[in-house]
């Protein structure tokens, strides 16, 4: 007796073919995506960091540079986004000290930074930003970490940083030499202002929190420090750490009041990179 194929069996065969076709398409898509990602990484690895003749041009108008440290994966995300948004909504800008390690793995902070990258500056804050990470490094040791840091910001945010912000504001002479070889024109560390061999050292002038005495600095103290800096060099760098404001709405309100006090017609808000001009 001949076996008759039922309609259900025919449909099952067509379903299996369809599922197999979808699976092949998915595998092809994954392969193409991996090829694209690997090609992008290969493009970065084969692309030399631009060798440019850059110079520092001091601001011609009284200028405030807001510097927010410790932007990173897996920590302080909500408060970091809140501070950045409150700065941008006032038509100000900000230089972000981004900890590069694993920054691309945190979809929340990564997508946010991509959404605002045209309004801000991103600068590597070390690589892992462990305490005093760059304090005692040789040129070769610093070179390895700076290349990793540069790559993370380039691959994840399509940005080519020219400012380096060392963890704890400390760095070695080897770090300075390695910075020159990795496309950096600015180092923002401790309270300092000088230009040496195409590197501008633009340290912070005042912070919103005093870690030595474990206390907030009043808005008036910040303003007074900035007034002194503006008289001396026509710009003031204010260092901010987002974690200082976690769970303290009163202090955060005071911070927004500081922003409003500084947001006056006679002051300009710029980033570090705005004062670097380069020749290809």
């Amino acid at each position: 007796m001949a076996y008759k194929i039922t309609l259900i069996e025919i449909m099952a065969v067509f379903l299996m073919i369809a599922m197999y076709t979808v699976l092949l398409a998915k595998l092809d898509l994954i392969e193409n995506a991996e090829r694209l990602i690997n090609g992008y990484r290969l493009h970065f690895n084969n692309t030399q960091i631009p060798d440019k003749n850059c110079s520092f041009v001091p601001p011609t108008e009284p200028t405030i540079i807001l510097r927010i440290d410790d932007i990173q994966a897996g920590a302080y995300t909500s408060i970091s986004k809140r501070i950045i948004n409150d700065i941008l909504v006032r038509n100000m800008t900000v230089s972000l000290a981004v900890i590069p390690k694993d920054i691309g793995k945190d979809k929340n902070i990564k997508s946010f930074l991509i959404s605002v990258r045209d309004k801000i500056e991103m600068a590597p804050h070390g690589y892992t930003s462990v305490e005093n990470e760059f304090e005692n490094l040789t040129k070769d040791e610093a070179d390895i970490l700076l290349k990793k840091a540069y790559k993370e910001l380039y691959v994840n945010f399509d940005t080519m940083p020219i400012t380096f912000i060392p963890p704890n504001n400390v760095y070695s002479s080897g770090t300075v030499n390695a910075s020159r070889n990795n496309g950096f024109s600015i180092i923002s560390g401790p309270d300092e202002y000088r230009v040496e061999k195409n590197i501008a050292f633009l340290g912070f002038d005042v912070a919103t929190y005093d870690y030595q005495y474990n206390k907030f600095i009043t808005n008036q103290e910040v303003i007074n420090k900035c007034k002194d800096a503006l008289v001396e060099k026509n710009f003031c760098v204010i260092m901010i750490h987002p974690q200082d404001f976690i769970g303290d709405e009163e202090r955060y309100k005071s911070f927004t009041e500081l922003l409003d006090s500084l947001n006056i017609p006679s002051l300009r808000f710029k980033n570090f990179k705005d004062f670097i001009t380069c020749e290809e």
Side-chain angles (χ1 to χ4, degrees):
M1 183 190 244
Y3 179 76
K4 294 183 179 180
I5 300 176
T6 66
L7 180 60
I8 293 177
E9 289 173 323
I10 294 173
M11 291 177 64
V13 170
F14 277 108
L15 180 60
M16 290 177 62
I17 293 173
M19 292 175 63
Y20 183 67
T21 302
V22 170
L23 178 61
L24 288 178
K26 285 185 176 180
L27 291 174
D28 187 55
L29 182 63
I30 292 171
E31 183 180 353
N32 287 335
E34 289 179 344
R35 189 181 300 117
L36 179 63
I37 293 170
N38 291 332
Y40 190 49
R41 289 174 176 161
L42 184 64
H43 168 73
F44 175 84
N45 291 332
N46 289 342
T47 300
Q48 295 295 319
I49 293 171
D51 184 14
K52 299 179 179 180
N53 181 23
C54 299
S55 57
F56 171 68
V57 180
T60 58
E61 299 176 290
T63 300
I64 302 294
I65 299 174
L66 299 174
R67 183 189 120 184
I68 303 181
D69 289 10
D70 294 346
I71 304 299
Q72 60 187 286
Y76 320 137
T77 302
S78 295
I79 189 65
S80 297
K81 290 166 65 174
R82 184 180 179 185
I83 294 174
I84 294 167
N85 281 329
D86 276 331
I87 289 171
L88 296 181
V89 78
R90 288 169 169 79
N91 294 317
M92 301 171 173
T93 186
V94 61
S95 294
L96 303 182
V98 178
I99 299 173
K101 188 175 187 300
D102 295 332
I103 194 68
K105 296 179 181 179
D106 188 328
K107 294 181 180 179
N108 189 348
I109 192 65
K110 180 180 177 179
S111 62
F112 173 75
L113 292 178
I114 289 174
S115 73
V116 299
R117 64 184 171 189
D118 294 335
K119 303 174 183 177
I120 63 170
E121 174 182 17
M122 283 187 272
H125 193 29
Y127 176 60
T128 64
S129 200
V130 296
E131 187 173 1
N132 301 327
E133 183 179 19
F134 281 77
E135 183 178 20
N136 299 306
L137 297 186
T138 65
K139 178 183 176 182
D140 289 342
E141 290 169 337
D143 183 76
I144 292 171
L145 292 183
L146 286 173
K147 279 183 168 57
K148 288 182 177 180
Y150 192 107
K151 178 179 178 179
E152 288 299 322
L153 294 191
Y154 178 79
V155 169
N156 287 295
F157 306 107
D158 195 26
T159 187
M160 304 177 80
I162 62 172
T163 303
F164 175 61
I165 301 175
N168 304 96
N169 298 297
V170 294
Y171 54 87
S172 63
S173 59
T175 298
V176 176
N177 292 327
S179 295
R180 290 192 178 96
N181 294 341
N182 285 280
F184 294 101
S185 299
I186 295 173
I187 295 178
S188 180
D191 182 7
E192 58 184 352
Y193 175 41
R194 68 183 193 278
V195 180
E196 293 178 2
K197 298 180 181 178
N198 294 332
I199 293 281
F201 298 85
L202 311 180
F204 75 94
D205 297 290
V206 63
T208 55
Y209 192 87
D210 188 330
Y211 285 96
Q212 182 178 357
Y213 297 102
N214 196 31
K215 68 181 184 70
F216 280 98
I217 298 174
T218 67
N219 289 352
Q220 192 58 54
E221 287 179 281
V222 173
I223 291 170
N224 290 341
K225 283 276 190 180
C226 271
K227 284 181 178 178
D228 292 340
L230 290 170
V231 169
E232 177 189 352
K233 56 189 180 181
N234 221 23
F235 69 91
C236 176
V237 180
I238 301 175
M239 181 177 67
I240 304 156
H241 286 84
Q243 58 266 41
D244 297 338
F245 300 97
I246 293 176
D248 194 334
E249 284 299 315
E250 183 178 345
R251 284 306 314 173
Y252 190 79
K253 181 175 182 293
S254 179
F255 171 72
T256 60
E257 290 169 351
L258 173 64
L259 294 179
D260 291 332
S261 297
L262 294 170
N263 196 14
I264 56 177
S266 60
L267 289 177
R268 299 289 178 267
F269 286 81
K270 300 287 185 179
N271 294 317
F272 293 110
K273 66 179 182 179
D274 294 327
F275 304 110
I276 296 295
T277 59
C278 299
E279 299 175 3
E280 297 288 346

